Amino acid sequence: MILHSLIDYDILRVIWWGLLGVLLIGFALTDGFDMGVGALLPFVAETDVERRVAINTVGPVWEGNQVWFILGGGAIFAAWPPLYAVSFSGFYLAMFVVLAAFIVRPVAFKYRSKRDDVRWRTSWDWALFASGAIPALLFGVAVGNVIQGVPFHFTDDLHTIYEGAWYTKFIGLLDPFSLLAGVVSLSMLVMHGGAWLTLKAEGNVRDRARRFGSIAALVAVAAYALAGVWMALGIEGYRIVGDYLTTGPSNPLHFEVEKTASWLTAYSDRPWIAIAPIMGIAGGLLTFLGLRAGREVSTLLVSKMAILGVISSVGLTMFPFIMPSSSDPRSSLTVWNSSSSHMTLFIMLVVTVIFMPMILAYTAWVYKVLWGKVTEADVTDNSHSVY
């Protein structure tokens, strides 16, 4: 018996659809508060010492957190090759901006403390702000574009064609709904950063983080609710027409797809998925209340619940679509027509089962070792505090 036949192809596809979601959510839950702290830096810290306190709350962990982004990209490349090809082709200018921000961030961490000069450090602090706020915004913009459908199609020999001139591959992404999705993403991660600073900092930095984080929580909830109404009233969804084979070959042109009145018909077909948006809204409101009340650990946990709910709601609402095509619905990528082979998914699953627990155990150990608050005395007296 061939080992990969132990798990059916369609089940493996769903497993890897879920694992891709886990990796993206893991990135948002961990590196999300790093980006949130960066976006909050000009608002929560007024003096150099206060800025160092804020930076040192994420300085020791941001590198490990960013690994989730690499894992997510690797999973897309290996498990969903057509998705990788289409997304990196269509969004490459936006991705270039994101990667540039991620390159600037470690440079800013390392260089800001090299000179005791106000202008020097202020410039790097603004770089940290940009490297947190810009990716947080653009990730949401990308999701907003995917929800509306991306203008690409496949030729008969499966060559990808992306519609529009080169400049529309960035400017064209910034339509009103996608910008609203960007606001959801940015405010949600700023909320998460505020919850993290409440847990890890003291004094003025903590107090300002509570204030700005609670404002961000309300903005996130309001923008998310508005996006839901917009989807219900003004954005077409997609559905596969007729019978289809979930264990068939990965051919993006294998299914017939048409547009429908709304993505939200998924909630009448699968009512249980309503738990995701409920978690998103409830988590945001509980984070607001927790920040206002000064609670720490519980506030960070409900902030994570909000992120989990918001991101999960997108995947569950669109299932089985991963990237629909607005210019040629038949070219839309789904769980059933864009995965790697049965054997590839099985081998990847075995590797994941072996190594993922190690990664989680190491991550938990790191956070245990680094548990505790960062104080002004820590950054001024401790020689190991270099940021």
Side-chain angles (χ1 to χ4, degrees), residues 6-18:
L6 294 174
I7 304 179
D8 292 338
Y9 196 12
D10 56 341
I11 294 176
L12 274 173
R13 283 168 159 165
V14 173
I15 289 173
W16 271 103
W17 170 80

Side-chain angles (χ1 to χ4, degrees), residues 349-383:
L349 182 61
V350 172
V351 173
T352 300
V353 169
I354 294 172
F355 288 101
M356 184 61 77
M358 297 181 187
I359 295 173
L360 293 174
Y362 176 75
T363 302
W365 178 78
V366 168
Y367 278 91
K368 180 178 183 297
V369 170
L370 297 174
W371 188 258
K373 289 184 176 292
V374 178
T375 65
E376 293 188 5
D378 291 330
V379 300
T380 55
D381 300 338
N382 189 344
S383 60

Side-chain angles (χ1 to χ4, degrees), residues 10 49 53 74 84 106 124 188 190 266 340 365 372:
D10 56 341
V49 172
V53 167
Y84 183 89
W124 288 117
M188 182 174 67
V190 169
S340 292
W365 178 78

Side-chain angles (χ1 to χ4, degrees), residues 276-290:
I278 290 173
M279 288 174 60
I281 293 175
L285 293 175
L286 289 172
T287 303
F288 168 78
L289 295 175

Side-chain angles (χ1 to χ4, degrees), residues 83 86-87 91 146 150 152 318 321-325 331-333:
L83 174 63
V86 171
S87 60
F91 297 157
V146 170
V150 179
F152 72 94
M318 293 181 61
F321 289 90
I322 303 177
M323 182 174 286
S325 169
S331 296
S332 297
L333 302 179

